[in-house]
């Protein structure tokens, strides 16, 4: 039975570190303390202490974090959470046990969650095994933040325990949309880096969401053009843009900022571009299932994004989050 006042109580969090090591150990300790205070059980904490060059352990150690989930002798955790992003996930993609992970995780309520460099793992699991995952909070940046975001925690808790959720925003949109399709996406730079590889999902009629950080608008545009020229965007129903963080100031001074970039992309890709999704390298972010059915509606009054059929851990009515 899930404690609705404390949905982390009695849940098992298994930590994975497919990318960089935690540069701020204080954030690790804050996160672990908060989870323990919530009554959660946290396993594989050794991953927070490993370090090899710039990575959270050797390739073999970081690979083992994920491949151990395919071992039928080990109990499945409730939540598998990336410690942080950075770089390194790309190095272990060829040796992930896709068949074993598919056999063990498909149809199970285990939630695999993270963002940033974790996008590479998510895209590979979707492409090679058809496994849904979640783009959402990570241990250090979110659970370990100096001031924890109630918004981020509320949405993560809701999606853990609800079979469907609708995100509603009053951010006015200059394009209308009423489309359905597979929701997929994550970090723009990581997704672009996988084009032409076996780890890039072939999604037709999807709803693609993207975010990035510390990239100037011209760099974001260049990556979006790569998706466009590769034929990826033309196969989607809509493009949804999240938070793009810092890196805008210099370009804005040159009269070319995010708004100008978005209008340019709109003029060439031929599908609706929806903005102001609260997701990315930001304090307040929603949790988004990857590889599941979704419906997007947008107009001058805002947008709504409804997702369903993702792994969850109790049976309740669908939830709604107003932004």
């Amino acid at each position: 039975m899930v404690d609705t006042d404390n949905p982390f109580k009695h849940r098992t969090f298994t930590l994975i570190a497919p990318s960089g090591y935690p540069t701020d150990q204080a954030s690790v300790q804050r996160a672990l303390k908060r989870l323990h205070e919530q009554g959660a059980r946290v396993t594989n904490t050794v991953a927070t202490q490993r370090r090899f060059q710039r990575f959270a352990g050797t390739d073999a150690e970081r690979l083992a974090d994920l491949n151990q989930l395919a071992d039928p002798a080990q109990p499945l955790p409730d939540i598998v959470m990336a410690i942080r992003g950075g770089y390194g996930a790309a190095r272990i993609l060829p040796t992930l046990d896709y068949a074993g992970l598919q056999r063990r995780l498909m149809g199970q309520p285990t939630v695999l969650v993270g963002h940033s460099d974790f996008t590479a793992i998510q895209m590979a699991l979707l492409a090679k095994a058809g496994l849904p995952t979640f783009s959402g909070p990570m241990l250090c940046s979110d659970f370990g933040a100096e001031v924890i975001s109630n918004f981020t925690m509320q949405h993560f808790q809701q999606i853990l325990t609800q079979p469907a959720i609708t995100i509603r925003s009053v951010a006015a949109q200059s394009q209308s949309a009423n489309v359905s399709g597979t929701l997929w996406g994550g970090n723009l730079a990581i997704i672009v880096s996988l084009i032409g590889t076996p780890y890039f999902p072939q999604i037709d009629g999807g709803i693609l969401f993207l975010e990035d950080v510390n990239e100037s608008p011209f760099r974001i545009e260049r990556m979006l053009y790569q998706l466009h020229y590769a034929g990826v965007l033309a196969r989607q129903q809509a493009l949804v843009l999240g938070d793009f963080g810092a890196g805008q100031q210099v370009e804005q001074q040159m009269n070319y900022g995010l708004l100008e970039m978005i209008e340019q992309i709109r003029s060439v890709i031929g599908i609706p571009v929806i903005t102001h999704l609260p997701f990315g390298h930001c304090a307040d972010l929603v949790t988004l299932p990857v590889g599941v059915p979704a419906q997007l509606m947008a107009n001058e009054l805002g947008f709504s994004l409804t997702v369903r059929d993702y792994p969850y851990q109790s049976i309740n009515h669908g939830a709604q989050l107003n932004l």
Side-chain angles (χ1 to χ4, degrees):
M1 179 67 69
V2 175
D3 184 343
T4 55
D5 294 325
N6 182 6
F8 297 147
K9 189 174 183 180
H10 303 310
R11 295 194 190 276
T12 298
F13 282 69
T14 290
L15 303 181
I16 58 173
S19 304
Y21 68 86
T23 56
D24 179 9
Q25 280 293 319
S27 68
V28 171
Q29 298 309 312
R30 282 193 297 267
L32 295 178
K33 181 174 184 288
R34 286 166 176 158
L35 286 171
H36 288 143
E37 287 175 348
Q38 291 284 315
R41 177 173 176 262
V42 185
T43 67
N44 199 36
T45 56
V46 67
T48 67
Q49 303 302 313
R50 294 187 318 233
R51 180 172 177 177
F52 174 73
Q53 297 173 348
R54 63 170 293 127
F55 309 107
T58 64
D59 289 0
E61 288 173 322
R62 293 180 292 110
L63 176 68
D65 287 346
L66 281 153
N67 279 349
Q68 69 181 350
L69 299 172
D71 182 358
Q74 301 296 323
L76 280 175
D78 299 299
I79 298 157
V80 179
M81 178 170 286
I83 291 172
R84 59 154 297 189
Y87 168 70
R91 293 169 55 148
I92 64 174
L93 296 184
T95 42
L96 281 176
D97 183 1
Y98 296 102
L101 291 168
Q102 182 186 55
R103 284 193 300 269
R104 192 82 199 287
L105 296 175
M106 187 65 77
Q108 298 299 315
T110 297
V111 169
L112 277 68
V113 63
H115 66 276
S116 190
D117 196 52
F118 188 63
T119 299
I121 303 293
Q122 295 179 284
M123 294 300 99
L125 288 175
L126 185 58
K128 302 280 284 184
L131 280 173
T133 57
F134 291 80
S135 289
M138 295 190 289
L139 185 79
C140 292
S141 57
D142 300 294
F143 282 82
E146 289 191 17
V147 178
I148 202 163
S149 166
N150 290 329
F151 176 96
T152 299
M153 293 299 114
Q154 176 195 8
H155 193 252
F156 183 54
Q157 291 165 2
Q158 283 182 348
I159 210 162
L160 278 178
T161 57
Q162 306 287 351
I165 193 165
T166 298
I167 302 163
R168 298 188 186 278
S169 171
V170 296
Q173 302 296 317
S174 60
Q175 286 182 293
S176 297
N178 185 358
V179 298
S180 299
T182 298
L183 184 67
W184 69 295
N187 181 264
L188 173 60
I190 299 301
I191 287 176
V192 166
S193 75
L194 296 176
I195 293 174
T197 74
Y199 314 111
F200 190 87
Q202 300 302 312
I203 305 293
D204 293 322
I207 298 170
L208 174 62
F209 68 91
L210 297 170
E211 62 82 26
D212 218 315
V213 66
N214 293 331
E215 296 284 3
S216 296
F218 84 90
R219 295 180 184 272
I220 298 168
E221 178 182 302
R222 184 165 60 198
M223 288 185 280
L224 290 172
Y225 262 104
Q226 187 170 352
L227 285 169
H228 173 53
Y229 290 146
V232 175
L233 297 182
R235 301 201 307 271
Q236 308 309 309
Q237 296 282 350
L239 174 63
V240 184
L241 299 180
D243 187 83
F244 282 87
Q248 304 170 28
Q249 294 80 5
V250 172
E251 287 298 305
Q252 192 63 60
Q253 293 172 5
M254 299 172 67
N255 297 317
Y256 195 73
L258 276 175
L259 293 179
E260 290 79 10
M261 182 276 295
I262 291 170
E263 288 308 313
Q264 173 62 21
I265 291 299
R266 280 192 173 120
S267 72
V268 298
I269 67 173
I271 61 173
V273 179
I274 308 305
T275 60
H276 295 93
L277 178 70
F279 173 74
H281 291 70
C282 49
D284 296 334
L285 70 154
V286 295
T287 300
L288 297 170
V290 174
V292 304
Q295 181 177 22
L296 174 69
M297 299 182 67
N299 56 37
E300 69 278 3
L301 301 178
F303 72 84
S304 67
L305 178 65
T306 299
V307 288
R308 62 186 187 278
D309 296 345
Y310 48 79
Y312 73 101
Q313 296 166 8
S314 70
I315 300 176
N316 288 302
H317 297 294
Q320 177 174 305
L321 183 70
N322 294 316
L323 309 180

